[in-house]
RNA sequence: GCCCCCAUCGUCUAGAGGCCUAGGACGCCACCCUUUCAAGGUGGAGAUCACGGGUUCGAAUCCCGUUGGGGGCACCA
């Protein structure tokens, strides 16, 4: 078994492309087959190396690897069928196009875009399928010469046989199309650049691809490919069309309505293992009620014929949940390592490790660490700037309650030396202080929380105090007291 | 417009004729735990299996039709 993924570097790695790549990867690895990466960059105007890099990097990030094809953007190809970039395979396409031309299975067409557009409009008016009318199919030599003399350029069209085409889709079973409904489509542009439907067939043949697994949007293109395969005398691979990933409104997932760039999720702090698990279940399930799967487990369990037929909505809530599950499954040391890119370099590794327990059960994404415990590394003045005086007031209280609590807390904290400045002792002291102040614990803790973390929602208060240490905690209490001093008692 | 594909809670799904008074998960609601927020625990609401016909002793599961949704019909991929 040889399968391939064939992304087009005309944009960053798309969620849909990633899932198609994943399904191909899982199919190949499950069967012990070979996995090929081919870069479909025939659209030279829109393809860039930067996009190629984004695609390759993010596939690697997900843990997807391949046996043949470029391993690095712009890097050398690896494998017996190199090159794997279509832009470097142009001679091959030219040879095959010539073969088709000479066999009479393709012909040159001099129709201009305007002429084609006019025909299309007429057909639509007559409620017919818009397709090429075959005008250039039977031109005399004189007519061809006349077009050339006119300065017109020509494209190459494939002559489609009006026959029924059926194939046994890996996922959908028997599917039948009538190619009589198809027009003769263009396979080489007027500037000599070959088009997708043509190159994909040539490459799949020369790269000996046995299973073509791709998005459902290609299902209706398959009869074109089969026609080309037959005309060229190629072997017909098995086809499998996987369901589309959908926007919440159930249309094909698009940049316009959803975040489709894998990089964006990566930058937000989603874990690749969560993303892989999530993507795998968008259109497939093991048939049991298990739902947490590593990439290796997926390789073992994944079967292409158990893939669903219907599209699946990309549900961010579910991704978030999975990400939390994976984050919580990490050891503190592992999580600290993952968190590193989001935490300022000035924060020492040892200090980063200390704050992990405070955030582990609260992180949805790794990036959330900043909002959660930024107070730990931000200077006191910055934390003080995060809140207004009113935020210090307990739920059903005013400035005087806040002041009472903070003063009580200050006294309690002051007493402790660094060695005793631990969550347990702090809690005990603060509860005593609350009682002494005649306040409920919650009312007493609230102003202290805001003073220390700058927010009403934070990790556990006493662990936060411990993390900050005596001096910084006291300084923040004083900052808060200072804010309260601005209002007359 | 034409062709093709699809159809189980809001979402992801289990379900291959009787195990289904349709199961799980996410989300939602309530309660418990609790210094806030989470995490965790318990419980709940939520699907006449799109609809209508068949087939069958029996259908979410098979067949046909309808409806709805989606995809494709480029000198993009």
């Amino acid at each position: 078994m040889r399968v391939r993924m064939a992304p087009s570097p005309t944009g960053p790695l798309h969620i849909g492309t990633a899932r198609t790549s994943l399904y191909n990867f899982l199919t190949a690895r499950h069967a012990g087959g070979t996995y090929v990466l081919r870069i479909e960059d025939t659209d030279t105007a829109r393809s860039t190396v930067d996009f190629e890099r984004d695609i390759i990097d993010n596939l690697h990030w997900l843990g997807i690897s391949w046996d043949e094809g470029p391993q690095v953007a712009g890097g050398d190809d690896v494998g017996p069928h190199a090159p794997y970039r279509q832009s470097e395979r142009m001679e091959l396409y030219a040879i095959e196009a010539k073969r088709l031309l000479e066999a009479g299975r393709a012909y040159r067409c001099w129709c201009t875009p305007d002429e084609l557009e006019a025909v299309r409009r007429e057909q639509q008016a007559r409620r017919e399928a818009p397709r090429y009318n075959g005008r250039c199919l039977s031109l005399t030599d004189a007519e061809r010469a006349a077009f050339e003399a006119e300065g017109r350029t020509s494209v190459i069209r494939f002559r489609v046989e009006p026959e029924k085409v059926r194939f046994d889709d890996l996922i959908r079973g028997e599917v039948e199309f009538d190619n009589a409904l198809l027009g003769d489509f263009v396979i080489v542009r007027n500037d000599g650049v070959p088009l997708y439907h043509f190159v994909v067939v040539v490459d799949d043949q020369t790269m000996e691809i046995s299973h073509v697994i791709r998005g459902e949007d290609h299902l209706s293109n398959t009869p074109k490919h089969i026609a080309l395969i037959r005309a060229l005398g190629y072997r017909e691979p098995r086809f499998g069309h996987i369901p589309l990933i959908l926007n919440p409104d159930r249309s094909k997932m698009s940049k316009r309505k959803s975040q489709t760039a894998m990089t964006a999720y990566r930058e937000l702090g989603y874990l690749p293992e969560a993303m892989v698990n999530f993507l795998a279940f968008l259109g497939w399930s093991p048939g049991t009620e298990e739902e947490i799967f590593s990439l290796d487990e997926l390789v073992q369990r994944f079967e292409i014929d158990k893939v669903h037929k219907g599209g699946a909505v990309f549900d961010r809530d579910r991704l978030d949940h999975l990400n939390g599950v994976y984050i919580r499954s990490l050891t503190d040391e592992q999580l600290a390592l993952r968190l590193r890119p989001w935490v300022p370099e000035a924060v020492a590794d040892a200090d980063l490790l200390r704050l992990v327990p405070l955030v582990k059960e609260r992180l949805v994404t790794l990036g959330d660490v900043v909002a959660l415990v930024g107070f730990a590394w931000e200077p006191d003045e910055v934390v003080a700037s995060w809140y207004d005086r009113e935020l210090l007031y307990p739920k059903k209280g005013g400035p005087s309650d806040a002041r009472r609590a903070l003063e009580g807390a200050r006294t309690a904290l002051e007493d402790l030396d660094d060695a005793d400045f631990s969550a347990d002792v702090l809690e005990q002291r603060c509860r005593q202080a609350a009682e002494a102040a005649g306040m409920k614990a919650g009312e007493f803790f609230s102003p202290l929380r805001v003073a220390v973390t700058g927010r009403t929602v934070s990790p556990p208060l006493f662990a936060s105090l411990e993390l900050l240490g005596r001096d910084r905690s006291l300084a923040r209490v004083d900052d808060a007291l200072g804010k309260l001093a601005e209002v007359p008692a």
Side-chain angles (χ1 to χ4, degrees):
Chain A
M1 173 186 282
R2 289 177 56 86
V3 303
R4 46 70 164 187
M5 60 181 142
S8 185
T10 53
L13 181 63
H14 189 283
I15 289 288
T17 309
R19 194 202 41 167
T20 304
S21 301
L22 176 64
Y23 280 19
N24 271 289
F25 170 81
L26 295 175
T27 303
R29 294 285 182 258
H30 181 78
T34 302
Y35 193 31
V36 177
L37 170 65
R38 179 172 75 227
I39 303 292
E40 309 232 319
D41 57 352
T42 52
D43 186 347
T44 48
R46 294 194 299 148
S47 299
T48 72
V49 206
D50 283 340
F51 287 140
E52 183 182 317
R53 179 172 301 110
D54 182 279
I55 290 166
I56 290 179
D57 284 356
N58 280 296
L59 286 171
H60 280 318
W61 176 70
L62 287 169
I64 295 175
S65 57
W66 45 97
D67 308 298
E68 298 177 21
Q71 301 291 329
V72 180
D76 288 342
D77 287 348
V78 176
H81 301 282
Y84 290 88
R85 280 186 198 78
Q86 293 183 328
S87 57
E88 297 167 22
R89 298 169 65 80
M90 291 300 172
E91 318 83 70
L92 171 63
Y93 310 134
I95 291 169
E96 294 304 85
K98 193 169 169 233
R99 254 193 342 120
L100 249 17
L101 238 22
E102 284 169 354
R105 295 307 316 270
Y107 58 94
R108 291 201 167 273
C109 166
W110 284 267
C111 295
T112 65
D114 286 348
E115 290 169 347
L116 294 171
E117 182 54 35
V119 171
R120 238 191 306 269
R121 236 191 284 276
E122 265 177 54
Q123 287 168 329
Q124 268 168 8
R126 269 182 276 128
R127 294 182 164 188
E128 286 171 12
R131 57 185 153 133
Y132 184 61
N133 62 4
R135 189 189 71 162
C136 293
L137 177 56
S138 44
L139 254 28
T140 62
D141 287 347
E143 286 169 320
R144 291 178 225 264
F147 280 141
E148 290 290 335
E150 225 178 283
R152 288 197 188 199
T153 53
S154 64
V155 300
I156 300 177
R157 283 186 187 274
F158 177 65
R159 218 185 69 212
V160 178
E161 292 292 337
E163 61 186 356
K164 300 246 198 262
V165 172
R166 45 182 10 210
F167 59 96
D168 187 20
D169 191 277
L170 257 9
I171 293 156
R172 281 147 221 285
E174 287 281 328
V175 184
E176 186 182 275
F177 288 86
D178 186 359
N179 273 7
L181 268 18
L182 241 45
D184 293 344
F185 56 92
V186 177
I187 56 174
V188 179
R189 302 201 310 203
N190 67 166
D191 61 0
V193 175
L195 258 16
Y196 171 75
H197 296 306
F198 177 55
V199 296
V200 75
V201 161
V202 173
D203 284 338
D204 284 340
Q205 164 71 195
T206 53
M207 294 180 182
E208 300 181 80
I209 301 304
S210 62
H211 297 251
V212 172
I213 297 162
R214 65 213 330 189
E216 193 193 335
D217 44 352
H218 282 302
L219 187 59
S220 351
N221 290 147
T222 305
K224 287 183 190 173
H225 300 164
I226 291 176
L228 242 10
I229 286 166
R230 289 177 182 168
L232 286 158
Y234 292 166
R235 264 179 344 290
E236 190 179 319
R238 293 296 307 273
F239 292 97
H241 291 91
I242 68 182
L244 263 20
I245 298 181
L246 275 21
N247 292 312
D249 66 3
R250 305 202 75 85
S251 56
K252 178 162 87 165
M253 194 187 190
S254 64
K255 200 157 95 179
R256 189 90 184 102
K257 295 174 181 170
S258 306
Q259 177 55 267
T260 56
M262 184 59 73
T263 305
Y265 294 93
R266 181 182 180 175
E267 283 166 0
L268 250 19
Y270 285 95
L271 265 36
E273 46 271 65
M275 184 56 88
V276 160
N277 198 148
F278 173 71
L279 252 23
F281 274 70
L282 241 37
W284 173 85
S285 95
T288 64
E289 282 176 358
E290 309 156 89
E291 40 200 356
I292 302 299
F293 282 84
S294 68
L295 190 57
D296 286 343
E297 289 165 337
L298 287 170
V299 165
Q300 275 181 36
R301 304 281 293 278
F302 187 84
E303 280 169 72
I304 191 69
D305 52 7
K306 283 180 81 177
V307 170
H308 308 153
K309 297 173 181 170
V313 173
F314 186 95
D315 180 11
R316 185 69 170 267
D317 282 334
R318 199 178 179 79
L319 209 212
D320 284 347
H321 170 255
L322 271 177
N323 208 50
V325 168
Y326 278 94
I327 284 176
R328 274 172 255 128
S329 76
L330 261 25
T331 64
D332 288 0
E333 288 73 15
Q334 290 169 329
L335 184 51
L337 221 53
R338 305 267 197 143
L339 250 13
R340 191 71 263 191
W342 280 271
V343 174
E345 280 180 50
V347 178
D349 287 345
D351 291 331
L352 170 52
L353 186 58
R354 286 180 63 212
L355 77 227
V356 166
L358 305 210
V359 299
K360 198 176 194 171
E361 278 167 6
R362 279 163 257 267
L363 291 172
V364 172
T365 63
L366 297 174
D368 291 344
V369 69
V370 174
L372 245 26
V373 286
F375 71 85
W377 61 71
E378 291 294 348
D380 298 341
E381 352 30 295
V382 170
V383 173
S385 75
W386 285 350
Y387 65 95
D388 294 326
R389 183 201 310 128
E390 289 74 18
L391 219 57
L392 290 164
Y393 307 166
K395 212 179 294 174
K396 281 176 219 155
S400 56
D401 303 293
R403 192 174 297 128
R404 191 144 40 100
L406 288 171
E407 278 166 355
R410 193 181 200 296
T411 315
L413 265 48
E414 224 169 15
D415 271 0
L416 267 23
D417 49 37
D418 282 328
D420 289 330
F421 215 77
S422 68
D424 287 350
V425 177
L426 282 161
E427 175 163 4
Q428 193 190 328
R429 293 300 174 88
C430 284
R431 284 189 187 281
Q432 284 166 3
E435 206 172 326
M439 296 179 78
K440 280 198 211 162
E443 285 182 324
F444 185 90
F445 296 160
S446 172
L448 185 55
R449 179 189 309 285
V450 173
V452 167
T453 68
R455 307 184 196 281
T456 52
V457 170
S458 80
L461 179 55
F462 304 107
S464 299
L465 284 165
E466 180 184 330
L467 195 70
L468 281 174
R470 180 179 184 275
D471 295 347
R472 290 171 76 202
S473 297
L474 245 21
R476 289 185 185 189
V477 170
D478 287 339
D479 286 343
L481 248 11
K483 287 202 189 207
L484 289 169
E486 291 160 22
V487 68

